[in-house]
Amino acid sequence: MDMLSCHLNRSIDIPLYEQLYLYIKKEITEGRLAYGTKLPSKRKLADFLKISQNTVETAYEQLTAEGYVEVLARKGYFVMAYEDLEYVQTSDHLSAETKVKEEKVKFNFHPSAIDTENFPFTRWRKYAKNTIDKNNHSLLLLGDSQGEYELRQEIAHYLYHARGVQCAPEEIIVGAGIEILLQQLLLLFDEKTVYGVEDPGYHLILRILKSYPNEVYPLEVDEEGVKVNRIDTSKINVVYVTPSHHFPYGTVLSVNRRTKLLKWAQAEDHRYIIEDDYDSEFRYSGKSIPSLQSMDLGGKVIYLGAFSKSLMPSIRISYMVLPKPLMKRYKEKLSFYHSTVSRIDQHILTQFMREGDFERHLNRMRKVYRRKLEKVIEILKPYQDKVTVIGEQSGLHTVLVVNNGLNEQELVQKAFEANIKIYPMSSYSLEKKYQNPPKIILGFAGIPEEELENAVVSLLKSWGF
Amino acid sequence: MDMLSCHLNRSIDIPLYEQLYLYIKKEITEGRLAYGTKLPSKRKLADFLKISQNTVETAYEQLTAEGYVEVLARKGYFVMAYEDLEYVQTSDHLSAETKVKEEKVKFNFHPSAIDTENFPFTRWRKYAKNTIDKNNHSLLLLGDSQGEYELRQEIAHYLYHARGVQCAPEEIIVGAGIEILLQQLLLLFDEKTVYGVEDPGYHLILRILKSYPNEVYPLEVDEEGVKVNRIDTSKINVVYVTPSHHFPYGTVLSVNRRTKLLKWAQAEDHRYIIEDDYDSEFRYSGKSIPSLQSMDLGGKVIYLGAFSKSLMPSIRISYMVLPKPLMKRYKEKLSFYHSTVSRIDQHILTQFMREGDFERHLNRMRKVYRRKLEKVIEILKPYQDKVTVIGEQSGLHTVLVVNNGLNEQELVQKAFEANIKIYPMSSYSLEKKYQNPPKIILGFAGIPEEELENAVVSLLKSWGF
């Protein structure tokens, strides 16, 4: 960006730095300053607005403290504001102001969205009716803090057949979301634990890890998945990876690297691998990719899974499988916490799985998502010299590498002007160095099939194709 | 206790300290060593078992590290193992071993239990059916991270009318349990924050606070509630209190102390009061006690509430009302976390509240619990020279001060031998000094009305009355 045309008023009672701060904040929250935009240097902006550099600095620092802006050493200030990225606002109950803003959004390619049109409401309702019954009155009381045993049995059964994960119900902990489980997990490691995370990667995990005092190092990702060649000589002892389907690139971690990672973990007692198998249900071609946990004979892999993609993100049911030493620690340190998931919901889900509805739903959704992905690829085909599709074999999103002269920020901005929300790769990175060539993470799952063509074509048009 | 008759085997390959450790652990987990029991001194046990003091020390240290035992300066080692206290195991799906143990329990006076016989299953099911519907398909997607706006509206309305709490839906955060909300809250305070907690008090909170690096100080409790006379000169800047109905004593915090506490908080920016209004719905005599939050004009009270007592502990829906400066911090630091409560459940609860079912249910349950409490008091009346009832005006539990020559541990043990589970005051204390005269927390709510007489009479019999 060039400059910020902020009109400062010296005759009112608000300090200049605060006027500048409020102006920039508004520009960010209302979407006129896009994610990743570099702000003008303090010197240039001070010159332009005819104010002191200190005033600019105070405003920038306030924005940084509040998380709207991030400072990168020797590079300058960049617009952050992850918040908007975090969830798709579909609620009817937003404040009037937000509502107007959101109503304008015609298509939202958020990677966390799912298809909501094919959910088996009738079956789910039936199991809810069965469960909410006077005969089950003891379900009102607190249950097992690890989650209901019957649900853990169903999960263990599913994991074994679908993912090759070998575990007993006793090794599973059910919780209200991956974040909750991750926070519990972090309490099991000591304060000196050093984490390694894929970069780019799942930004929620990055953000949670960064809010702890522990050191966190980024691990680069290429076409074989996360690079592990230098992990031996690093200080890292716990890595967070998405081996079956890297988020967001979609790559599968190569067998060589899997072996290397497992060997690395086995070499030291305190080393562990957190495997987030977040959307492994949806693979459309080739053989199913086995989980890293299923290759691990040393008890070094913590397996994380969720029903966010396979059922609905709003259900808040996730699970983790702990290796024995960690389960022991969990029982000693954390078993006094109550379960974070409603017992009634756990029993509804148990029935849904036990009666075969879960498998049927997955089979149906695999077809729906494959059709959606094929449609996206088909529409993009004529533009293949300018738009490359990455990670097109699985998942609920794909990555577009766009090569038409526009940078990431411009691609996001142009789309936004056409009322389309898209999410740039750099928002999912610690190091912010994945901006060239520009990449867009395209969550296609939430767009209804009949609107998908229009949505993608409108996006291409907004980019000048 | 006198001595531990552990048979150590010098001819097997397990170190002596480990044999001793395993033996004591088993005694604790299988209920033969009750909560609060003092272990023999290291010297005495070493003499008795003819092993070195180092061996005993290593075993005791291992037990302490794992939380089975706690060491009190100049007093010795005491059996802890809170775990069993934490929830009533009513699940059908316990492992075979636990099941046998639990099946024997005829009456469980756990303070977290509720009456499960009068829950309006039909109405709840109706709202579940309404909510789980194709027309609500957007409920599958992620919602507002603070909780559904409509639910927060209902909570704000209820809090204003029932508790005098003035708040807007925007100031409420919904979460999957008080523990989750408390953990979020702790992230809003800095690392140097020093906490004060009522002692005795709600042990889950004590335990969570103690698992953080911050300093935690106990605050004594008398018949006027928590003692605040020395808080000014302490290092404490955040206190956790239960002013309407102290847990577990049941006392109401006096107006003098409320005023003092509020003034203390207002004197410094970083001071706050966490008010846990955990069962304020159930008061049977006298005027309703206003919340501390309603007396606070300075924005210093964080109000915590839950549906655990008023609906069911297994639903995992709680809420907190944040003062403005903390809400600002929450939005900056934590709004990227997803909500921890299922959106469908939030909408079921919204309808239940909006249609008046919640109020009707509370009115009905107030009568049920009052009848149960009156029954307990009536049965105990002939024994009033030996058993005093404390906190008999409200709540789902009462405290018995027992004066028949048995100590706390013996009372618990005698009841246990008669297959009755009761919970001693000392389990809810940081300082373990509330053992004389012995006090038992009697959660009467979970015992069916028709069994209550038998339960209390059996308990008295087990004590030799």
Side-chain angles (χ1 to χ4, degrees):
Chain A
M1 70 165 313
D2 306 325
M3 212 28 82
L4 290 165
S5 315
C6 168
H7 298 288
L8 299 172
N9 185 341
R10 282 160 207 271
S11 61
I12 57 170
D13 204 22
I14 302 171
L16 290 180
Y17 88 85
E18 195 172 340
Q19 293 185 40
L20 180 59
Y21 150 77
L22 289 170
Y23 170 81
I24 298 176
K25 189 160 127 176
K26 204 160 176 240
E27 291 293 294
I28 294 173
T29 53
E30 297 186 358
R32 286 184 295 275
L33 277 177
Y35 310 106
T37 308
K38 186 173 185 300
L39 295 180
S41 77
K42 286 177 277 187
R43 193 184 49 73
K44 279 191 186 157
L45 186 59
D47 280 358
F48 181 75
L49 296 174
K50 300 188 177 38
I51 53 180
S52 84
Q53 248 179 263
N54 272 348
T55 305
V56 179
E57 181 158 11
T58 312
Y60 277 15
E61 276 174 4
Q62 182 62 25
L63 290 162
T64 310
E66 296 185 11
Y68 289 101
V69 159
E70 198 167 81
V71 58
L72 297 177
R74 284 182 302 275
K75 288 187 181 158
Y77 291 85
F78 293 82
V79 173
M80 289 306 297
Y82 275 115
E83 291 89 288
D84 262 8
L85 276 180
E86 287 305 327
Y87 58 90
V88 188
Q89 295 181 311
T90 47
S91 166
D92 295 326
H93 322 301
L94 299 169
S95 67
E97 195 194 348
T98 329
K99 211 164 169 174
V100 174
K101 238 173 54 187
E102 287 299 321
E103 261 172 13
K104 279 207 235 148
V105 175
K106 265 170 69 186
F107 303 115
N108 190 333
F109 285 99
H110 196 289
S112 90
I114 60 154
D115 180 291
T116 60
E117 300 189 310
N118 293 282
F119 186 79
F121 283 99
T122 318
R123 304 290 290 175
W124 194 264
R125 191 163 53 231
K126 180 185 151 191
Y127 299 127
K129 270 177 65 184
N130 290 349
T131 307
I132 305 169
D133 189 282
K134 214 172 167 53
N135 293 322
N136 297 330
H137 67 98
S138 71
L139 284 187
L140 301 183
L141 301 176
L142 288 169
D144 196 312
S145 61
Q146 275 183 244
E148 296 293 283
Y149 194 80
E150 282 177 332
L151 175 59
R152 288 186 279 138
Q153 279 182 315
E154 290 303 322
I155 292 172
H157 182 82
Y158 166 73
L159 286 180
Y160 179 68
H161 290 281
R163 307 295 304 129
V165 171
Q166 295 218 24
C167 68
E170 285 75 11
E171 295 165 300
I172 296 176
I173 294 162
V174 174
I178 291 292
E179 302 103 290
I180 296 288
L181 293 172
L182 191 74
Q183 284 179 296
Q184 292 196 335
L185 200 52
L186 296 183
L187 291 173
L188 301 182
F189 297 128
D190 72 19
E191 294 133 37
K192 280 170 275 172
T193 303
V194 177
Y195 296 95
V197 289
E198 296 167 334
D199 190 52
Y202 186 38
H203 54 322
L204 202 61
I205 301 295
L206 301 181
R207 213 166 166 187
I208 291 175
L209 286 173
K210 277 177 78 181
S211 71
Y212 281 74
N214 307 60
E215 285 181 85
V216 183
Y217 289 98
L219 292 166
E220 268 186 75
V221 178
D222 65 15
E223 61 286 345
E224 278 188 68
V226 63
K227 284 173 155 182
V228 293
N229 47 330
R230 277 181 305 197
I231 197 166
D232 272 328
T233 55
S234 75
K235 293 192 286 175
I236 293 169
N237 37 35
V238 175
V239 289
Y240 170 89
V241 287
T242 52
S244 311
H245 186 223
H246 171 261
F247 186 88
Y249 271 134
T251 35
V252 175
L253 189 61
S254 69
V255 173
N256 276 344
R257 291 197 185 169
R258 285 172 183 240
T259 313
K260 182 154 172 119
L261 206 52
L262 288 170
K263 275 193 181 155
W264 163 83
Q266 278 157 22
E268 300 264 4
D269 263 4
H270 56 282
R271 288 183 183 166
Y272 284 100
I273 302 162
I274 303 173
E275 173 179 29
D276 188 349
D277 211 21
Y278 71 104
D279 71 354
S280 55
E281 298 85 0
F282 301 110
R283 185 152 191 92
Y284 314 123
S285 56
K287 262 186 62 179
S288 148
I289 307 296
S291 67
L292 192 60
Q293 202 266 9
S294 69
M295 298 172 65
D296 170 34
L297 300 173
K300 296 308 250 175
V301 174
I302 298 140
Y303 181 91
L304 288 179
F307 293 96
S308 305
K309 303 282 184 189
S310 54
L311 282 177
M312 52 183 126
S314 76
I315 195 176
R316 315 313 293 137
I317 304 187
S318 300
Y319 47 89
M320 61 179 170
V321 182
L322 290 186
K324 283 202 174 53
L326 290 180
M327 187 44 109
K328 190 162 167 277
R329 252 182 260 171
Y330 172 87
K331 291 208 167 178
E332 288 155 15
K333 289 184 70 174
L334 299 179
S335 63
F336 71 90
Y337 278 84
H338 297 135
S339 166
T340 46
V341 183
S342 151
R343 247 178 121 182
I344 287 176
D345 290 347
Q346 293 188 58
H347 282 266
I348 296 172
L349 178 55
T350 303
Q351 289 176 62
F352 191 80
M353 294 180 86
R354 191 189 286 145
E355 301 299 326
D357 292 279
F358 184 55
E359 213 182 317
R360 277 191 289 277
H361 181 56
L362 284 180
N363 289 337
R364 188 191 308 119
M365 294 318 293
R366 217 172 275 124
K367 283 179 202 146
V368 170
Y369 290 135
R370 171 191 269 168
R371 281 203 304 271
K372 288 192 179 183
L373 179 56
E374 284 171 354
K375 173 70 87 184
V376 170
I377 293 170
E378 183 198 315
I379 300 168
L380 290 170
K381 205 157 193 189
Y383 307 93
Q384 56 190 337
D385 51 331
K386 297 263 171 79
V387 182
T388 316
V389 181
I390 294 184
E392 74 288 8
Q393 302 201 322
S394 58
L396 274 56
H397 69 268
T398 190
V399 175
L400 307 185
V401 186
V402 189
N403 202 347
N404 67 343
L406 296 176
N407 65 30
E408 256 194 34
Q409 183 215 327
E410 288 162 342
L411 291 170
V412 172
Q413 188 60 33
K414 296 272 181 202
F416 192 76
E417 284 162 14
N419 300 317
I420 300 169
K421 276 185 107 169
I422 53 170
Y423 302 87
M425 181 66 83
S426 59
S427 300
Y428 295 86
S429 164
L430 277 172
E431 300 224 313
K432 308 265 165 288
K433 60 179 179 186
Y434 296 92
Q435 298 191 19
N436 215 355
K439 293 176 205 69
I440 299 298
I441 295 152
L442 202 75
F444 55 81
I447 313 270
E449 267 186 279
E450 64 278 13
E451 295 176 26
L452 194 57
E453 178 156 4
N454 186 10
V456 179
V457 168
S458 303
L459 176 63
L460 288 171
K461 265 194 197 157
S462 81
W463 290 343
F465 285 98
Chain B
M1 68 164 315
D2 307 323
M3 211 29 81
L4 290 166
S5 314
C6 169
H7 299 287
L8 299 173
N9 186 341
R10 281 160 208 272
S11 62
I12 57 170
D13 204 23
I14 302 171
L16 290 180
Y17 88 85
E18 194 172 340
Q19 293 185 40
L20 180 59
Y21 149 78
L22 289 170
Y23 170 79
I24 300 176
K25 189 161 129 176
K26 203 160 177 240
E27 291 295 291
I28 295 172
T29 53
E30 297 185 358
R32 287 183 294 275
L33 277 178
Y35 310 108
T37 307
K38 186 172 183 300
L39 294 180
S41 77
K42 285 177 276 188
R43 193 183 48 75
K44 281 190 185 161
L45 187 58
D47 280 358
F48 181 75
L49 295 174
K50 300 189 179 34
I51 52 179
S52 83
Q53 249 180 260
N54 272 349
T55 305
V56 180
E57 182 158 8
T58 312
Y60 278 15
E61 275 174 4
Q62 183 61 27
L63 290 163
T64 310
E66 296 184 11
Y68 289 101
V69 160
E70 198 166 82
V71 58
L72 296 177
R74 284 184 300 278
K75 289 187 179 159
Y77 291 85
F78 293 83
V79 174
M80 288 308 297
Y82 277 113
E83 293 88 286
D84 262 7
L85 277 179
E86 286 308 325
Y87 58 89
V88 187
Q89 294 180 308
T90 47
S91 167
D92 294 327
H93 323 301
L94 299 169
S95 68
E97 196 195 347
T98 329
K99 210 163 169 176
V100 174
K101 238 174 54 190
E102 288 298 321
E103 261 172 13
K104 278 207 234 147
V105 175
K106 265 170 69 186
F107 303 115
N108 191 334
F109 286 99
H110 197 288
S112 91
I114 60 153
D115 181 290
T116 60
E117 301 189 309
N118 293 282
F119 186 79
F121 283 99
T122 318
R123 304 291 290 176
W124 194 264
R125 190 164 52 233
K126 180 185 150 190
Y127 299 128
K129 271 178 63 184
N130 290 350
T131 308
I132 304 168
D133 190 281
K134 214 174 166 55
N135 292 322
N136 298 329
H137 67 98
S138 71
L139 284 187
L140 301 183
L141 300 176
L142 288 168
D144 195 313
S145 62
Q146 277 183 240
E148 296 293 283
Y149 194 81
E150 282 177 332
L151 175 59
R152 289 186 279 137
Q153 278 182 316
E154 290 303 321
I155 292 172
H157 182 80
Y158 165 73
L159 286 180
Y160 180 69
H161 290 280
R163 309 293 306 130
V165 170
Q166 294 217 23
C167 69
E170 284 75 11
E171 294 164 302
I172 296 175
I173 293 161
V174 174
I178 290 292
E179 301 103 290
I180 296 288
L181 293 172
L182 191 74
Q183 284 180 294
Q184 293 195 333
L185 200 52
L186 296 182
L187 291 173
L188 301 181
F189 297 127
D190 72 22
E191 295 133 37
K192 279 170 277 172
T193 302
V194 178
Y195 296 95
V197 289
E198 297 167 334
D199 189 53
Y202 186 39
H203 54 321
L204 201 62
I205 301 296
L206 301 181
R207 213 166 166 187
I208 292 175
L209 285 173
K210 277 178 78 182
S211 71
Y212 282 75
N214 306 61
E215 285 182 86
V216 183
Y217 289 99
L219 293 166
E220 267 187 75
V221 177
D222 65 15
E223 61 286 343
E224 278 188 66
V226 63
K227 283 173 153 183
V228 293
N229 47 330
R230 278 182 305 198
I231 197 166
D232 272 328
T233 55
S234 74
K235 292 192 288 177
I236 294 168
N237 38 35
V238 174
V239 290
Y240 169 88
V241 288
T242 51
S244 311
H245 186 223
H246 171 261
F247 186 89
Y249 272 135
T251 36
V252 175
L253 189 61
S254 69
V255 172
N256 275 344
R257 292 196 185 169
R258 286 173 183 240
T259 313
K260 184 157 169 113
L261 205 53
L262 289 170
K263 274 192 180 155
W264 163 83
Q266 277 157 23
E268 300 265 5
D269 263 4
H270 57 284
R271 288 183 183 165
Y272 284 100
I273 302 163
I274 304 174
E275 172 179 29
D276 187 348
D277 212 21
Y278 70 102
D279 71 353
S280 56
E281 298 86 0
F282 301 111
R283 186 154 189 88
Y284 314 122
S285 56
K287 263 186 60 181
S288 146
I289 308 294
S291 67
L292 192 62
Q293 201 266 9
S294 68
M295 296 172 65
D296 169 34
L297 301 172
K300 296 308 250 176
V301 175
I302 298 140
Y303 181 93
L304 289 179
F307 292 96
S308 305
K309 304 282 183 188
S310 54
L311 282 176
M312 52 184 126
S314 75
I315 196 176
R316 316 313 292 139
I317 305 187
S318 301
Y319 47 89
M320 63 179 169
V321 182
L322 290 185
K324 286 203 172 54
L326 290 180
M327 187 44 110
K328 190 163 166 274
R329 253 182 259 170
Y330 171 87
K331 292 208 166 176
E332 287 156 18
K333 290 185 70 175
L334 299 179
S335 61
F336 70 90
Y337 278 84
H338 296 135
S339 168
T340 47
V341 183
S342 148
R343 246 178 121 182
I344 286 177
D345 290 347
Q346 293 189 59
H347 281 266
I348 296 172
L349 178 54
T350 303
Q351 288 176 63
F352 190 80
M353 294 181 86
R354 191 189 286 145
E355 302 298 326
D357 292 280
F358 185 55
E359 213 181 319
R360 278 191 290 276
H361 180 57
L362 283 181
N363 289 336
R364 188 191 309 118
M365 295 317 293
R366 217 173 275 123
K367 284 179 202 147
V368 171
Y369 289 134
R370 171 192 269 168
R371 281 201 306 271
K372 289 192 178 183
L373 178 56
E374 283 170 354
K375 172 71 88 183
V376 170
I377 293 171
E378 184 198 313
I379 301 169
L380 291 170
K381 206 157 193 193
Y383 308 93
Q384 56 189 338
D385 51 330
K386 296 263 171 79
V387 183
T388 317
V389 180
I390 295 183
E392 74 288 6
Q393 303 200 320
S394 58
L396 274 55
H397 70 267
T398 188
V399 176
L400 307 186
V401 187
V402 188
N403 201 348
N404 68 343
L406 297 176
N407 65 29
E408 258 195 30
Q409 185 214 328
E410 290 162 343
L411 291 170
V412 172
Q413 188 59 34
K414 296 270 182 202
F416 191 76
E417 284 161 13
N419 301 317
I420 300 170
K421 277 185 106 170
I422 53 170
Y423 302 86
M425 181 66 82
S426 59
S427 299
Y428 296 87
S429 164
L430 276 173
E431 300 224 313
K432 307 270 165 281
K433 61 179 178 184
Y434 296 93
Q435 299 192 21
N436 215 356
K439 293 176 206 72
I440 299 299
I441 295 153
L442 201 75
F444 55 80
I447 314 271
E449 266 186 281
E450 63 279 12
E451 294 176 26
L452 194 55
E453 179 156 0
N454 187 10
V456 178
V457 168
S458 304
L459 177 63
L460 288 171
K461 266 193 195 159
S462 79
W463 291 344
F465 284 100

